Amino acid sequence: MFKRKLYCTNCNREIEDDEEIYAKMKVPKHSIMVEIKAYLKKKSEIFCTACFEQIK
């Protein structure tokens, strides 16, 4: 299986494994989601902790 990489929307830094993130997203239409990373990548804005603190 391949690894999907996530990037911060604000600073474009790659999110590391086991790192805390903040995501701005809409509620999914379907209650069952097979791959959460794919949904996050396509349908949300992801922020690393440092950028989230600046935006707050």
Side-chain angles (χ1 to χ4, degrees):
M1 188 172 273
F2 58 92
K3 180 178 178 182
R4 296 184 188 270
K5 296 181 180 180
L6 299 176
Y7 295 91
C8 176
T9 301
N10 194 43
C11 68
N12 209 29
R13 183 178 63 80
E14 184 178 342
I15 304 296
E16 300 296 325
D17 289 344
D18 205 38
E19 181 179 348
E20 186 174 325
I21 62 167
Y22 297 89
K24 179 180 177 183
M25 59 188 271
K26 292 183 179 182
V27 175
K29 291 180 183 180
H30 306 290
S31 61
I32 299 172
M33 292 191 330
V34 176
E35 165 122 49
I36 200 113
K37 275 191 171 181
Y39 186 82
L40 284 172
K41 193 169 186 177
K42 291 179 184 178
K43 303 284 186 174
S44 70
E45 293 179 20
I46 299 168
F47 298 99
C48 64
T49 306
C51 290
F52 184 74
E53 292 298 323
Q54 291 175 354
I55 294 169
K56 245 178 29 173

